[in-house]
Amino acid sequence: MTEILLDAKGQDRLNILVQWAAEAALAGHLVPEQGDLQIIAHTKLVAVEGSGASVVQGWESTISWMLKQATFGVMDPFRHLPEELLSPAGIPTPGPAVVLEGNEEVTEVLEVLPKATSPSKLPKWEAAAREQVREAIKRYTKPLHDLKARDANEGDTRLVVTDILCEGLDYDKFRDLTTEYMVKQDFADYGVRIDKQLVAFIEVKRISQKLNERHLRQVQMYAVNEGIEWMVLTNGAVWQAYHLTGGLPVIINMAFEIDLLGPESLEEKAELMFLLHREALKRRRIDESWKHRAATEPKALLELILSEALLEQIRKEVKRRTGITTTPEALSEVIKTEIVDPKLMAKLYKS
């Protein structure tokens, strides 16, 4: 088999998959072989060819979930697997442990794991919050479809949004939500308070309304005037969370977007919606997710790659591997003109 060279993120994905496979094997499951895990870590696609394809297919939902968690910076996602993802699709947990022969790296991990190792439990508050979010998404899918089918007005959309906020995200409508929050003679749809502290604004549009820049500017004004970092735009189905970084000028970035009526899986929707749950917002989980995304977005990584220090390291590595002497300036030019998407370059220099 041809050796697969993984970048740093690919290696992180492989480490997660190997550790997961070790624990799944310890629980008695047949797990993918090391070579198949490398392919998945490299391609980020849960699909392989050959004799191991059926094993990988059985674990498709589990592996996809872990890769998604890793994208959001979750440490050791295999330790937080939902119960339904602990076994391959349609196969119950067996009794005695079964380890694939020839899966040397999994075997090595097993040797250093405690014999009674099992996936760590989520904190009670988090497990409860995640379950509450999942149930709410399932419960409100049909009402949202109905609203969309009859092109409900903004007032009717707001009623459903309030229910989602209260029943799905655990906000108290009297304690935590201030409707028609007044900001300099204008009114935000919701001001969100946690422990009496204003932490976010939510702006609601009718369900058929496509969220746009004008709506963002509206809620941005509220946030700037009140010194609030987080803003949410929603039409009931689509939820967009934005982060405001203060300064002159202020910087607005979308942290994430969820379409509750979109094709993504329930777990994918719930993973993002969880960040808006009252308990998650109280513990600033959304801030952790945002910091990771901001640090690893293409623009930030490109700035890092084009930094003087990193270009010098690349120059040295080119010399070590090929014997060719080049300059940081020459490398920078190749990266800018022949490797990077021109749209990303324009975005970098615009800022």
Side-chain angles (χ1 to χ4, degrees):
M1 176 179 172
T2 304
E3 182 182 3
I4 297 175
L5 296 177
L6 298 173
D7 58 15
K9 287 189 177 182
Q11 189 60 53
D12 288 343
R13 290 191 291 269
L14 179 59
N15 291 340
I16 288 169
L17 294 177
V18 166
Q19 292 178 77
W20 158 74
E23 295 202 359
L26 188 66
H29 293 297
L30 191 66
V31 296
E33 295 183 356
Q34 171 69 14
D36 291 336
L37 295 179
Q38 286 183 326
I39 292 171
I40 294 169
H42 176 63
T43 63
K44 294 185 285 187
L45 299 174
V46 191
V48 299
E49 297 179 352
S51 58
S54 60
V55 178
V56 170
Q57 185 176 6
W59 288 106
E60 181 179 2
S61 296
T62 301
I63 296 174
S64 295
W65 188 90
M66 289 190 293
L67 293 178
K68 187 77 171 180
Q69 296 289 300
T71 299
F72 290 111
V74 176
M75 298 295 291
D76 298 338
F78 60 91
R79 297 191 183 281
H80 310 299
L81 281 166
E83 186 173 352
E84 63 269 21
L85 299 181
L86 293 176
S87 302
I91 302 177
T93 303
V98 177
V99 181
L100 275 178
E101 293 184 6
N103 203 341
E104 293 86 356
E105 189 161 345
V106 171
T107 305
E108 290 174 9
V109 174
L110 279 171
E111 289 174 354
V112 299
L113 283 174
K115 295 303 180 184
T117 297
S118 62
S120 300
K121 298 293 184 182
L122 290 173
K124 287 184 178 180
W125 73 266
E126 184 173 344
R130 289 181 179 277
E131 181 60 25
Q132 185 178 14
V133 169
R134 280 194 293 268
E135 289 302 313
I137 293 174
K138 289 190 288 186
R139 185 186 318 133
Y140 284 99
T141 295
K142 185 178 186 304
L144 287 171
H145 272 299
D146 292 344
L147 280 179
K148 195 167 186 177
R150 65 183 176 86
D151 192 17
N153 61 33
E154 188 172 307
D156 288 348
T157 303
R158 195 180 304 181
L159 290 174
V160 175
V161 168
T162 300
D163 287 343
I164 292 174
L165 288 171
C166 296
E167 296 181 28
L169 303 181
D170 206 36
Y171 293 98
D172 184 291
K173 67 174 65 177
F174 303 110
R175 179 193 64 205
D176 302 321
L177 302 176
T178 303
T179 59
E180 297 295 326
Y181 188 97
M182 188 171 184
V183 184
K184 288 193 173 182
Q185 309 306 312
D186 205 349
F187 295 91
D189 287 335
Y190 296 93
V192 179
R193 295 185 184 276
I194 295 181
D195 297 334
K196 300 181 179 180
Q197 181 70 39
L198 186 66
V199 296
F201 284 114
I202 301 175
E203 190 69 15
V204 181
K205 299 302 172 186
R206 68 188 298 160
I207 193 162
S208 61
Q209 176 74 63
K210 185 175 181 180
L211 304 176
N212 58 44
E213 288 289 332
R214 181 170 57 83
H215 304 144
L216 177 59
R217 285 195 298 271
Q218 184 179 354
V219 74
Q220 174 185 331
M221 180 196 71
Y222 306 145
V224 170
N225 285 324
E226 296 292 317
I228 301 303
E229 286 184 72
W230 289 102
M231 303 160 287
V232 176
L233 287 179
T234 182
N235 61 10
V238 177
W239 294 68
Q240 297 175 346
Y242 290 89
H243 181 266
L244 183 150
T245 303
L248 292 174
V250 297
I251 300 172
I252 307 293
N253 296 103
M254 182 188 286
F256 55 83
E257 179 180 60
I258 318 154
D259 184 352
L260 299 183
L261 299 182
E264 295 77 16
S265 69
L266 173 63
E267 286 302 325
E268 288 175 306
K269 295 172 185 176
E271 181 61 34
L272 291 176
M273 204 67 177
F274 162 74
L275 297 175
L276 297 179
H277 190 280
R278 184 184 187 278
E279 293 302 316
L281 199 60
K282 179 178 180 178
R283 291 167 172 80
R284 304 188 72 85
R285 285 292 187 87
I286 194 172
D287 295 73
E288 297 171 15
S289 175
W290 163 249
K291 288 175 183 176
H292 179 270
R293 176 164 180 166
T296 57
E297 68 168 352
K299 179 174 173 289
L301 293 178
L302 180 56
E303 288 177 335
L304 177 63
I305 292 170
L306 294 176
S307 68
E308 185 177 339
L310 201 53
L311 286 171
E312 178 60 21
Q313 290 300 313
I314 295 173
R315 184 195 67 78
K316 291 178 180 178
E317 185 65 13
V318 170
K319 173 71 173 177
R320 186 186 71 80
R321 291 191 178 194
T322 68
I324 300 298
T325 300
T326 186
T327 65
E329 293 76 17
L331 292 171
S332 176
E333 187 63 23
V334 170
I335 292 170
K336 292 176 183 177
T337 60
E338 299 186 36
I339 297 177
V340 178
D341 185 336
K343 291 181 180 178
L344 181 55
M345 287 302 305
K347 183 179 178 181
L348 176 63
Y349 285 101
K350 180 180 179 182
S351 61

